Amino acid sequence: MHRRGFLVAGLAAALSGSRALAQMKMDGMSDMDSMPGMGGHAGHDMGAMGQGPAALPEGEALRELPLLANEAGRQGVFKARLAAEAATARFVADQDTPILAYNGMSPGPLIEAYEGDHVEITFANRIAGEPSTIHWHGMPVPADQDGNPMDPVAAGADRVYAFELPEGSAGSYWYHPHPHGRTAEQVYRGLAGAFVVKAKADPVPAEYGDTVLMFTDLRLAADGSMPDSTMADLMNGRVGDHVLVNGQKNPRLAVGTGAKRRLRLYNATNARFLRLAFANTAMTVIGSDGGLLEKPVAADEILLSPAERVELVVAFDRSGTATLTTLDYDRGWMGPGRPAEAGQMLLTVDVSDTPAEAMPPLPERLRQIAPLGAPTVSRRLVFTETMAMNATGMEMGFLINGKTFDMARVDIVAKAGETELWEIVNQADMDHPFHVHGTQFQVIERERGGKASKPAYLAWKDTVNVARGETVRLLIRQERPGPRMYHCHILEHEQLGMMGIVDVQV
Ligand SMILES: [Cu+2]
């Protein structure tokens, strides 16, 4: 409210032009009309059509993400080109869906490089009339190579991103656009890809394979197009009708009894919280955003908030069907139309009676993680929302320490190489997944309702969910100088201002 608030309509105009503004006003109205007791999905564009979401074909064989070819032709260098451009996808028979794609694909091609590699990727922005960038999410790259909103690549322009992958940086990273005011739309229209940095010596048996499962979220209008975002989408973050895995709805995988598979799960959705169970299997967490844990940890379920990743070893010891499904999770939904979180089938695994080839056991120790030592500085970041109805519409603001993002303002000055304690305090009514660029951090404590708890294990993270009413304390050390973004990774919230800049100085 007050001076910090936004008028949705004015905001929409600023973000996406006047065409989207009209759309937003209309959808906003229909949301409000349906407010009392209507269970309809606020995000839908279907009110006028009277139809539910389109049915997508299910049960195709799971496709592995195609690899981005390395054009360097010599050891220790990864060189390639990524073009962001308009493309067409076919999610439903006989309907073309205009999307955005990297090299014609959504999700984009899988980048696989090794610790110690020099990476050089030429980005060609071929999105008509829109700036873009490539942000290397979670990766230890220099500030001026990180595709932040201060370094846009104009429509039609090319730029080279170059960086080294340090020893010890093996992990499950990803890449996506981060242009000012356009990130949310470019991502939900299709721009996101996985970047796996492999270790030269990997303790996980090669027999388990190594498969990326990238979750994205799709909403289709009756004509096969992706509808513009509504007011409910801006408030809650855009949640679609279908969670896709590597671009497919509920694909199938076939394994023999006793098989173990290494799976890297990516939440690449704009705003969907994925609480996951894998029936008829045994799940073991072996890695987080920034690579392997010290030891494997058995898990019954996984909560992946937007932008988080987890590395699993899944054992298929019982023949029959094993399904990866979503469970209910209440992340605080504003207004009507809370989507059904539970019961989405993401992946179906057919476990045959035929025994799999013998699988070596997972080692008891995976690697050592040095705890970040005693902090020299403490900081407190308070997340709040302001929302109110007034005569002209809904006013809302997404704030960190009472402020919305200003590209020209440095919010925090930090010193390279120094450990800091960051306390992320969520005083808002929704969960907000907190992300920092340029480094990985270690969560040391969570506090909720006056009760503090330590995490069960040490892990490298670049994104952590901060539930409503919760405080998360983490240790963080930036090694490289330059400005870095920190923000909520519900991309609509980031876009509406829940972001700041930490300037790291030598
Ligand atoms: Cu948020």
Side-chain angles (χ1 to χ4, degrees):
M1 280 158 280
H2 317 298
R3 67 202 183 284
R4 305 237 184 259
F6 285 95
L7 247 172
V8 170
L11 185 64
L15 290 178
S16 10
S18 50
R19 194 179 51 83
L21 162 61
Q23 170 82 35
M24 177 112 26
K25 273 181 160 165
M26 282 178 57
D27 287 353
M29 300 294 267
S30 62
D31 285 353
M32 259 161 266
D33 292 346
S34 65
M35 218 167 247
M38 286 290 290
H41 185 159
H44 281 176
D45 179 26
M46 62 185 231
M49 332 271 183
Q51 301 172 349
L56 262 60
E58 300 182 33
E60 294 162 10
L62 172 73
R63 65 172 172 244
E64 301 240 340
L65 294 172
L67 277 178
L68 182 63
N70 183 359
E71 294 161 8
R74 62 198 158 98
Q75 282 269 305
V77 181
F78 186 93
K79 206 169 172 174
R81 181 175 182 275
L82 275 178
E85 60 211 339
T88 301
R90 186 153 280 196
F91 296 107
V92 179
D94 304 324
Q95 271 190 345
D96 284 338
T97 301
I99 63 165
L100 293 176
Y102 285 120
N103 295 1
M105 288 169 240
S106 177
L110 168 62
I111 304 178
E112 236 181 53
Y114 282 83
E115 290 176 344
D117 279 0
H118 172 79
V119 177
E120 228 176 275
I121 292 178
T122 303
F123 170 49
N125 178 10
R126 299 295 177 263
I127 308 170
E130 289 185 30
S132 192
T133 74
I134 299 185
H135 167 52
W136 309 100
H137 184 118
M139 302 183 69
V141 312
D144 60 359
Q145 304 300 307
D146 203 24
N148 70 42
M150 290 83 88
D151 289 323
V153 179
D158 290 7
R159 84 149 274 178
V160 176
Y161 291 103
F163 47 86
E164 317 292 327
L165 299 174
E167 296 300 329
S169 65
S172 308
Y173 307 102
W174 58 301
Y175 60 96
H176 64 76
H178 214 310
H180 186 57
R182 295 219 162 261
T183 300
E185 182 175 352
Q186 289 185 6
V187 173
Y188 80 67
R189 292 205 183 274
L191 293 180
F195 193 136
V196 172
V197 178
K198 297 225 166 200
K200 281 173 184 152
D202 196 324
V204 183
E207 287 85 347
Y208 298 179
D210 191 347
T211 303
V212 169
L213 300 179
M214 197 162 203
F215 303 122
T216 56
D217 205 349
L218 175 71
R219 186 193 306 158
L220 288 180
D223 65 355
S225 68
M226 291 182 187
D228 287 340
S229 281
T230 63
M231 188 166 72
D233 294 330
L234 293 187
M235 276 196 292
N236 294 291
R238 182 182 172 108
V239 173
D241 298 318
H242 308 278
V243 180
L244 304 184
V245 180
N246 297 354
Q248 298 171 291
K249 175 123 183 194
N250 188 20
R252 290 188 102 93
L253 180 68
V255 301
T257 314
K260 288 188 171 65
R261 296 292 290 254
R262 178 186 199 166
L263 303 176
R264 299 178 193 252
L265 276 52
Y266 281 66
N267 187 338
T269 70
N270 277 41
R272 192 185 274 273
F273 286 69
L274 295 168
R275 186 174 153 227
L276 303 171
F278 212 149
N280 259 329
T281 71
M283 283 195 291
T284 304
V285 180
I286 60 164
S288 55
D289 305 334
L292 294 174
L293 307 182
E294 293 194 296
K295 300 184 277 206
V297 179
D300 292 327
E301 56 172 69
I302 305 287
L303 177 64
L304 268 192
S305 72
E308 281 189 297
R309 290 88 64 208
V310 68
E311 225 179 307
L312 299 177
V313 168
V314 180
F316 300 94
D317 291 331
R318 271 176 299 214
S319 63
T321 307
T323 48
L324 180 64
T325 54
T326 59
L327 304 172
D328 194 37
Y329 180 73
D330 183 4
R331 45 90 147 205
W333 186 267
M334 305 304 287
R338 186 186 159 207
E341 304 285 5
Q344 294 239 7
M345 301 259 282
L346 303 187
L347 175 71
T348 302
V349 182
D350 301 307
V351 187
S352 74
D353 291 329
T354 319
E357 63 169 310
M359 295 275 157
L362 191 58
E364 278 169 33
R365 284 203 74 80
L366 298 170
R367 70 156 162 178
Q368 193 135 28
I369 296 180
L372 287 170
T376 51
V377 183
S378 306
R379 307 188 192 276
R380 184 176 156 90
L381 303 183
V382 180
F383 282 42
T384 53
E385 299 147 2
T386 56
M387 290 189 206
M389 295 293 291
N390 64 20
T392 46
M394 175 79 82
E395 249 186 336
M396 54 189 188
F398 292 92
L399 316 175
I400 301 177
N401 289 351
K403 293 175 186 157
T404 55
F405 178 61
D406 179 350
M407 216 192 285
R409 183 188 69 221
V410 167
D411 297 280
I412 294 172
V413 176
K415 225 169 147 38
E418 284 199 353
T419 300
E420 301 194 344
L421 172 69
W422 284 27
E423 191 174 53
I424 320 299
V425 183
N426 186 347
Q427 294 178 351
D429 295 321
M430 287 184 248
D431 288 18
H432 294 287
F434 175 76
H435 171 54
V436 190
H437 291 201
T439 194
Q440 296 281 323
F441 52 74
Q442 295 175 352
V443 174
I444 54 165
E445 194 173 70
R446 288 172 175 274
E447 189 180 327
R448 216 171 174 175
K451 223 181 130 221
S453 62
K454 306 277 178 207
Y457 48 83
L458 201 53
W460 288 115
K461 299 281 297 164
D462 57 56
T463 308
V464 62
N465 188 41
V466 189
R468 55 217 160 106
E470 188 179 43
T471 294
V472 171
R473 297 188 178 89
L474 55 90
L475 294 174
I476 182 167
R477 189 169 71 206
Q478 294 275 4
E479 303 288 357
R480 295 159 199 81
R484 300 290 187 175
M485 325 308 295
Y486 57 87
H487 60 89
C488 172
H489 220 286
I490 289 180
L491 293 176
E492 288 74 13
H493 294 174
E494 174 266 321
Q495 205 154 303
L496 292 179
M498 207 170 236
M499 176 153 70
I501 296 176
V502 49
D503 190 28
V504 183
Q505 302 186 346
V506 282

XYZ file of all heavy atoms in Angstrom, residues 431-433 488 490 493 498, ligand 1:
58
model
N 4.711 -18.463 1.005
C 6.102 -18.917 0.994
C 6.850 -18.160 -0.109
O 6.280 -17.887 -1.164
C 6.186 -20.411 0.660
C 5.697 -21.314 1.779
O 4.986 -20.820 2.678
O 6.019 -22.513 1.742
N 8.105 -17.858 0.136
C 8.929 -17.236 -0.901
C 10.269 -17.970 -0.990
O 11.057 -17.939 -0.039
C 9.183 -15.758 -0.585
C 7.944 -14.917 -0.630
N 7.324 -14.568 -1.808
C 7.196 -14.374 0.362
C 6.251 -13.838 -1.539
N 6.140 -13.711 -0.226
N 10.547 -18.632 -2.109
C 11.855 -19.289 -2.263
C 12.945 -18.252 -2.532
O 12.870 -17.499 -3.499
C 11.655 -20.217 -3.468
C 10.438 -19.726 -4.177
C 9.625 -18.933 -3.204
N 13.269 -13.410 -4.627
C 12.316 -14.518 -4.561
C 12.294 -15.181 -5.930
O 12.261 -14.504 -6.949
C 10.925 -14.001 -4.213
S 9.674 -15.304 -4.342
N 9.846 -17.084 -7.091
C 8.560 -17.046 -7.787
C 8.761 -15.887 -8.753
O 8.896 -14.732 -8.340
C 7.400 -16.807 -6.798
C 7.211 -18.070 -5.960
C 6.118 -16.444 -7.544
C 6.100 -17.981 -4.935
N 6.992 -12.622 -8.553
C 7.339 -11.801 -7.382
C 8.663 -11.067 -7.612
O 8.806 -9.893 -7.268
C 7.443 -12.663 -6.118
C 6.138 -13.264 -5.700
N 6.039 -14.162 -4.665
C 4.882 -13.099 -6.180
C 4.756 -14.522 -4.525
N 4.054 -13.898 -5.436
N 10.525 -8.067 -5.665
C 11.098 -8.766 -4.514
C 12.523 -9.204 -4.868
O 12.820 -10.386 -5.027
C 10.217 -9.958 -4.157
C 10.301 -10.347 -2.693
S 9.047 -11.564 -2.280
C 8.186 -10.754 -0.945
Cu 7.813 -14.785 -3.719
